[in-house]
Amino acid sequence: MGYAKGVAAPATRTEQVYEVIRSELLNGGLRPGQKLKMVELTERFGVSQSVIREALTRLTEQGLLVATPQRGFRVRDLSIEDIAQLTETRIQIEALALRLAVERGDLQWETGVLAAHHRLERTPVTSDDGTVSEDWSLSPPRLPSGPADRL
C-alpha cells in the first residue's frame, strides 16, 4: 500500500484496511449496493474478521456503508438527491478554484490554459469507432505550474 509523501502510514491493520476500502468506495472501485463479504476481505487483507468488521463499522458510521443485522455490510446506494447534492457541492468547489486560479494566474499560466483549451476544442470527443478519445480522458492536460497549483 503506497502512501503520499509526508503522510504517515496507518498505524494498525484496521486502519490500513479502513483506508484501502474507503479509497475504493470514494473512487468508484465498489459499486452502490455491492455486498462486502467478510471471508473474501479476510483473505484479501490477510487479517482476522474482527479487524475487517472494525474497519467496516467505521465506514458505516461515516455513512459510506450500510450494516444489516445477520446480513453483513453493503455499499450505500446513492439516491437522486445524494447525486444532486454532490453535483452542487462539486460545482461550488470547482467554481471557487477557477475563480482563485484566474485571480492569481500569471501570463505563463494563462498561456497554458489557452493552449490546453485550443487543443481540446479541436479534439473530437469520440473516435471514429465511437469510443471516447484518449485526449478527453479523466486526466486533463498538465498546465504549466503556477498559482492554480498552490490552491
Side-chain angles (χ1 to χ4, degrees), residues 26-92:
L26 297 178
N27 291 305
L30 299 169
R31 298 177 318 277
Q34 180 177 341
K35 184 171 172 47
L36 300 178
K37 299 176 182 174
M38 296 291 281
V39 173
E40 290 176 8
L41 293 172
T42 58
E43 290 173 2
R44 175 181 169 196
F45 291 103
V47 296
S48 68
Q49 283 192 5
S50 63
V51 169
I52 299 294
R53 191 173 292 110
E54 187 176 338
L56 297 181
T57 299
R58 265 184 77 190
L59 292 163
T60 300
E61 291 167 354
Q62 294 179 348
L64 296 172
L65 298 178
V66 175
T68 307
Q70 306 301 318
R71 295 205 161 187
F73 297 86
R74 66 175 173 78
V75 178
R76 180 175 181 253
D77 288 319
L78 291 176
S79 67
I80 298 296
E81 182 181 332
D82 293 332
I83 294 169
Q85 288 175 353
L86 288 170
T87 302
E88 183 177 327
T89 301
R90 185 172 175 181
I91 289 169
Q92 291 173 355

Side-chain angles (χ1 to χ4, degrees), residues 86-102 109 138 140 148 151:
L86 288 170
T87 302
E88 183 177 327
T89 301
R90 185 172 175 181
I91 289 169
Q92 291 173 355
I93 291 169
E94 290 178 7
L96 175 61
L98 178 61
R99 193 173 317 117
L100 290 172
V102 169
W109 178 84
L138 294 176
L151 293 178

Side-chain angles (χ1 to χ4, degrees), residues 100 104-106 109 142 145-151:
L100 290 172
R104 298 174 184 174
D106 58 12
W109 178 84
R142 185 73 182 125
S145 64
D149 293 333
R150 294 187 295 269
L151 293 178

